[in-house]
Amino acid sequence: LAKMANGSMRDGLSLLDRLISTGFQPLTLSLLEDFLGRPNAEKVQQLIAGIGDSDAAATLNATEALINSGLGEAQIVDALTEHFRDLLVIASAGANTDLLIMTADQKEKAVELAKKFDAAALIFAITTLEKLRWAVKNSDTPRALLDASLLRFALSEHFINVDELMARSSAGSPTPVKKKLPVAGSPTPAAVAAPREVPPIPIAEVPTRAAPMVGNVLEPWPQIVAALSERLGNGTVGLLSSAIAKAFEGDLLTLEFPAAHKMQKEMCESRVRAEQIATAVSEYLGEAVRIKFELAPPSAEEVARNRKPVSQRRAEILSDPGVKTVLVGLDATVTGIEET
């Protein structure tokens, strides 16, 4: 009731009167959902779980279940925005914060769901859903738009990284487009891939070392990343592929990302993914390793590129072969470009 009343005591009492007038006892959460049009929290959580697990079928089935319960597309967007906000609060401030209004059972389930995402993914989802709400309410095909957007969240690792497109554009290279993990906040059809829980594997199954270490891992680092692809998953490997092993002193391995890959660095630093990377590398090397992530200082070329007029940067992005391929393939047009 507190959520539905938006903190208003008078509105909360009015909703409570409506609920009491039904004559049912005791007053339960399911009764609130049935009589006051509140989205079923369990079904919304199933939808978020499908997105977090990158399960396209589960995402569509959970959306269908919400539609069949009588919710409209805009109501589903509102419910998802609210739940993603709760997950963001848990990921940022912990489950014991006073910023959450939910039952003990709901909080327990929300804590488990929050483990499937990092803060960047949740922020991207919330801001994208806010824009989607207006589009869904004014669309002649709201269901198709909703399904496509939710699948974009679930299958985010299959979309193109705008940083990579801009780098190729500035270099004038017409290399084929590669599917990379997207950067949060980018205006193209991209989303941030949520880190996946990777079950530990026995030491006996750890891949053979790519080359003799000779006290460091600076030389064979690309081979190590390739060897750990099945252990870490394509999303994490895609993030690490842009890094280099800068130093390996004692048990501390320092990985350096290019200046333009700040978001990739931050995503690797998320608690779940950082632990997965450290564990996988430690098992591969046969010794405990700590990992530190650093960002390289921007090159003179990057500094000059960032000083270009907005109109020139926009023209460069739109003329990139990768961008053109996406626009033609989706029969889409660019309505805005935002940079962080």
Side-chain angles (χ1 to χ4, degrees), residues 44-55 59 80 83-84 86-88 90-92 109-126 150 153-156 191-197 267 270-273 276:
V44 176
Q45 288 174 337
Q46 289 175 353
L47 174 55
I48 295 177
I51 294 173
D53 293 333
S54 296
D55 190 333
T59 299
L80 281 174
H83 278 70
F84 275 128
D86 290 340
L87 299 187
L88 179 61
I90 291 174
S92 303
K109 293 179 180 179
V111 169
E112 292 302 315
L113 284 177
K115 295 178 181 179
K116 299 177 183 290
F117 303 88
D118 56 22
L122 293 170
I123 292 171
F124 177 86
I126 293 171
L150 296 183
F153 290 156
L155 305 178
S156 56
V192 178
R196 300 183 181 181
E197 294 289 345
M267 294 181 68
S270 66
R271 183 176 59 83
V272 174
R273 181 172 276 127
Q276 291 176 352

Side-chain angles (χ1 to χ4, degrees), residues 87-315:
L87 299 187
L88 179 61
V89 171
I90 291 174
S92 303
N96 296 324
T97 177
D98 295 332
L99 298 174
L100 296 173
I101 303 176
M102 56 177 60
T103 65
D105 182 59
Q106 288 177 331
K107 183 177 293 187
E108 181 180 352
K109 293 179 180 179
V111 169
E112 292 302 315
L113 284 177
K115 295 178 181 179
K116 299 177 183 290
F117 303 88
D118 56 22
L122 293 170
I123 292 171
F124 177 86
I126 293 171
T127 55
T128 302
L129 286 170
E130 177 61 25
K131 297 177 182 178
L132 177 63
R133 187 178 188 275
W134 183 91
V136 164
K137 291 184 67 175
N138 294 274
S139 174
D140 293 330
T141 54
R143 178 63 188 279
L145 184 58
L146 176 64
D147 285 345
S149 299
L150 296 183
L151 285 179
R152 191 174 76 178
F153 290 156
L155 305 178
S156 56
E157 63 190 47
H158 295 286
F159 291 96
I160 298 172
N161 185 342
V162 163
D163 279 354
E164 295 295 329
L165 295 179
M166 292 176 63
R168 287 200 302 274
S169 175
S170 62
S173 173
T175 54
V177 176
K178 294 184 179 180
K179 294 176 180 177
K180 292 286 186 180
L181 195 67
V183 175
S186 47
T188 59
V192 178
R196 300 183 181 181
E197 294 289 345
V198 180
I201 59 177
I203 295 298
E205 297 180 17
V206 176
T208 306
R209 292 184 178 183
M213 296 300 105
V214 195
N216 67 74
V217 295
L218 297 181
E219 289 301 323
W221 175 246
Q223 294 95 309
I224 292 177
V225 174
L228 296 178
S229 59
E230 294 186 4
R231 177 71 169 87
L232 294 175
N234 293 333
T236 300
V237 169
L239 294 174
L240 292 175
S241 62
S242 62
I244 61 171
K246 181 181 178 182
F248 190 32
E249 301 175 354
D251 65 343
L252 180 62
L253 171 62
T254 301
L255 300 180
E256 185 179 77
F257 289 80
H261 289 212
K262 180 180 179 181
M263 184 58 67
Q264 285 88 330
K265 167 183 170 290
E266 292 177 349
M267 294 181 68
C268 284
E269 288 177 322
S270 66
R271 183 176 59 83
V272 174
R273 181 172 276 127
E275 291 177 357
Q276 291 176 352
I277 295 172
T279 299
V281 174
S282 297
E283 291 176 350
Y284 181 88
L285 298 178
E287 59 184 80
V289 174
R290 295 179 298 118
I291 296 184
K292 177 183 179 181
F293 302 98
E294 292 185 351
L295 198 65
S299 64
E301 179 183 350
E302 290 171 330
V303 172
R305 185 172 70 247
N306 291 333
R307 291 176 178 173
K308 292 180 181 179
V310 175
S311 59
Q312 184 177 351
R313 294 289 303 281
R314 177 185 175 89

